Amino acid sequence: MLRSIFAVLLMSSLALADGLKPTVEELVDFETKSNAVAKRSNDAVRIENYEIPLRLLERDISFERLPHAAQNALIFSKNGEKMVRWLINPEDTKWHKELETWMKKNGVSTQRHTYFEGYMTASRSYIVRDPKSDLAFSMKVSTDVTGGNWRDKKQTWDDARQVKISSDYAMKAMEMRTPENFLFMDEPLVFGVKDIDQGMLLRLLGDLNVKDRVYVPGFSALHEETGRQIAEMNGSKDPAEFWRQHYVRPLGKAIAELYAMTGLSYDSPHSQNFLVELDGDMRPTGKIVFRDLGDSYLTKEIAQAMKATKLLSVWESGNILNGRASIAQGILHGNEKPSWVSEAMYDSYGKTFFVEFEKELSRITRIPIEELMRDGSHAGSGGYFSKGYQLFEAGKANTGWTGYISGLVGGGSSGSSLRPGWGQYLDGLQKYGGLRPSAMACSRILGM
């Protein structure tokens, strides 16, 4: 009932996209119409593509996680050779020309084809639909024109490869422990042109293709009208407090669990990276959806304990943190505050986030919360709230983490200045090959 009421409200200001499943339609409409920074079209457009021999492209594909329909939509045979449909962002005026120059040098036709139809998002990604299977997924290539405050966005091969490897890493962690607080949009396929450092990524939309779910981008939850309407449909006349309970608090718990499972934390945690999951009646489920782990910090000791040597070898050195964590939240960074979120309320969001983050991180890892609170309080700047956490005792030499020692009593690795709680946590990661499953774990992994 609530969902039908919301559909009427949505229909009063726009026409839903044709050809998509209703759940995907809603995501397109949130992305394009419930965005305070830039209103964008939700109309279907033909997505042009080149046809490039697979043999000429770099690639990293996890076929076991890739739906056959998506695989067949992008990779096909022509004249006895495997070809790839390389998409052209409809808004791009620059980067596809560089690609054409490379194609001509390699004897590849630059003829454009139209196989997919697609829909804008708030950023450079397009949600595309395979006309044969009706499967929808997200694709990202280079463009010099995007929505919002982020403009010229070259999609490099190096970044695409990092995103894919981080996705592999996260999915492996989720095979061991099904997350309780978050869902993840898997990115199981990337292609690249190494000579010009361009890439193309595929992101799955998970349950939107198969289940009755609604994903509300964080910036739509805090949109002047949409945020208020969803709150009112759930019986709240205070949208700022409603989203504290159903966005800020769940986000703190979700980021804590993601960090505990992987050692990854977003370096630009604005609301374009997060979605709030609602059920078929527009009620929050308590789950946060994560997309795009490529722009993240990685705590070195956690990756080492997880034996993530491949991830460490490709990760940007400036985003590998030795002996520390950097946690932040900036859900209105790069966006406009709705009238119902005052400066005082937004500041309180920062406090709420870190209270939930520390409680959940302590619960999952068994690091005493007193140990986490030793690093002081969070700070606010530029719409972000951030706090650093130290794995090692202040004022003592960082002698490194030596790994699990059988029969260790009292926690902390021998000869290390690790704080006891962090030491026990790291030893457990190495001993069990990752974060141990929780008896309460009952969530889903998106894209499987």
Side-chain angles (χ1 to χ4, degrees):
M1 179 64 179
L2 289 177
R3 190 171 187 168
S4 62
I5 293 172
F6 188 74
V8 171
L9 292 170
L10 210 58
M11 287 285 286
S12 67
S13 60
L14 54 100
L16 292 176
D18 294 326
L20 292 174
K21 294 181 182 299
T23 49
V24 182
E25 286 180 357
E26 287 166 330
L27 177 58
V28 168
D29 293 325
F30 283 129
E31 289 273 349
T32 56
K33 302 302 180 183
S34 296
N35 179 351
V37 174
K39 293 289 191 295
R40 288 160 69 75
S41 172
N42 66 333
D43 293 333
V45 296
R46 301 303 299 177
I47 303 288
E48 293 185 316
N49 66 271
Y50 301 117
E51 295 180 352
I52 301 177
L54 178 62
R55 60 182 166 80
L56 294 177
L57 297 174
E58 305 292 328
R59 59 202 182 264
D60 187 347
I61 307 171
S62 295
F63 287 104
E64 71 280 7
R65 306 201 314 259
L66 182 68
H68 287 298
Q71 177 183 330
N72 294 336
L74 289 169
I75 305 173
F76 66 102
S77 294
K78 184 175 183 179
N79 299 325
E81 183 168 26
K82 291 288 187 182
M83 306 292 287
V84 171
R85 291 186 173 100
W86 187 289
L87 276 64
I88 305 168
N89 187 298
E91 298 174 277
D92 179 48
T93 68
K94 175 181 177 182
W95 296 109
H96 70 279
K97 295 178 181 178
E98 182 182 78
L99 182 63
E100 283 191 354
T101 299
W102 172 84
M103 291 168 66
K104 290 173 182 176
K105 287 181 179 178
N106 286 272
V108 178
S109 170
T110 58
Q111 180 183 351
R112 298 186 184 192
H113 305 266
T114 52
Y115 177 82
F116 298 103
E117 65 177 10
Y119 305 82
M120 287 182 174
T121 67
S123 63
R124 62 180 147 167
S125 301
Y126 268 70
I127 291 175
V128 303
R129 185 180 69 86
D130 172 32
K132 291 185 177 179
S133 67
D134 281 337
L135 180 72
F137 45 87
S138 174
M139 296 295 299
K140 188 193 302 184
V141 291
S142 299
T143 179
D144 61 335
V145 179
T146 69
N149 291 323
W150 293 272
R151 296 298 176 184
D152 194 342
K153 300 282 285 187
K154 179 182 182 181
Q155 178 55 64
T156 68
W157 163 240
D158 185 59
D159 174 75
R161 184 165 173 252
Q162 286 187 35
V163 168
K164 172 60 168 59
I165 293 172
S166 66
S167 192
D168 294 344
Y169 175 62
M171 294 298 288
K172 183 178 179 181
M174 285 182 268
E175 288 175 5
M176 180 169 184
R177 175 196 171 96
T178 304
E180 302 169 36
N181 301 298
F182 71 87
L183 302 96
F184 177 57
M185 286 185 165
D186 188 16
E187 296 182 276
L189 173 150
V190 293
F191 291 113
V193 180
K194 195 171 184 179
D195 291 346
I196 58 173
D197 195 22
Q198 284 201 42
M200 180 173 73
L201 297 84
L202 177 146
R203 178 184 296 152
L204 299 177
L205 300 181
D207 284 354
L208 290 188
N209 280 295
V210 294
K211 290 187 179 179
D212 195 17
R213 290 287 185 270
V214 180
Y215 294 163
V216 181
F219 54 77
S220 297
L222 298 177
H223 181 266
E224 181 72 35
E225 297 302 328
T226 301
R228 179 188 287 113
Q229 289 172 356
I230 295 175
E232 288 177 351
M233 283 189 290
N234 282 274
S236 173
K237 294 183 179 180
D238 186 349
E241 182 58 30
F242 178 84
W243 290 114
R244 181 210 299 275
Q245 298 300 323
H246 298 293
Y247 181 21
V248 180
R249 291 186 65 196
L251 182 62
K253 294 170 69 174
I255 286 182
E257 187 172 32
L258 175 68
Y259 181 77
M261 291 173 63
T262 65
L264 291 167
S265 58
Y266 284 92
D267 66 2
S268 300
H270 51 73
S271 281
Q272 208 155 281
N273 292 318
F274 313 127
L275 303 97
V276 181
E277 186 190 52
L278 311 182
D279 66 16
D281 289 322
M282 302 296 289
R283 300 186 186 280
T285 67
K287 305 291 193 303
I288 298 295
V289 183
F290 291 135
R291 51 184 175 185
D292 192 358
L293 293 177
D295 295 327
S296 296
Y297 293 119
L298 175 64
T299 296
K300 183 178 181 179
E301 288 78 5
I302 294 176
Q304 288 175 330
M306 299 275 286
K307 298 180 176 62
T309 53
K310 185 177 182 181
L311 184 68
L312 283 167
S313 70
V314 301
W315 214 245
E316 291 183 27
S317 59
N319 274 22
I320 296 177
L321 307 183
N322 294 307
R324 62 190 178 94
S326 179
I327 306 297
Q329 175 262 97
I331 56 177
L332 277 170
H333 175 78
N335 211 332
E336 296 179 8
K337 289 186 179 69
S339 64
W340 37 266
V341 174
S342 65
E343 287 293 339
M345 175 61 78
Y346 191 56
D347 287 343
S348 74
Y349 281 0
K351 180 178 180 180
T352 297
F353 172 86
F354 280 101
V355 167
E356 295 300 323
F357 173 84
E358 291 176 356
K359 282 168 54 180
E360 190 68 1
L361 187 64
S362 177
R363 184 186 74 82
I364 293 172
T365 64
R366 299 184 181 179
I367 299 171
I369 197 164
E370 296 80 12
E371 195 168 299
L372 298 174
M373 293 175 69
R374 270 199 252 170
D375 293 304
S377 60
H378 67 275
S381 177
Y384 282 118
F385 303 97
S386 60
K387 180 177 175 180
Y389 295 87
Q390 299 297 323
L391 279 61
F392 294 85
E393 295 288 1
K396 293 186 179 180
N398 181 340
T399 56
W401 170 69
T402 58
Y404 180 79
I405 299 175
S406 182
L408 184 68
V409 177
S413 299
S414 177
S416 171
S417 59
L418 272 170
R419 291 176 173 175
W422 284 99
Q424 289 181 329
Y425 159 63
L426 290 173
D427 288 341
L429 286 183
Q430 186 179 55
K431 180 181 179 181
Y432 299 108
L435 193 66
R436 298 182 69 182
S438 165
M440 295 176 61
C442 58
S443 190
R444 307 177 311 283
I445 300 175
L446 290 183
M448 295 295 286

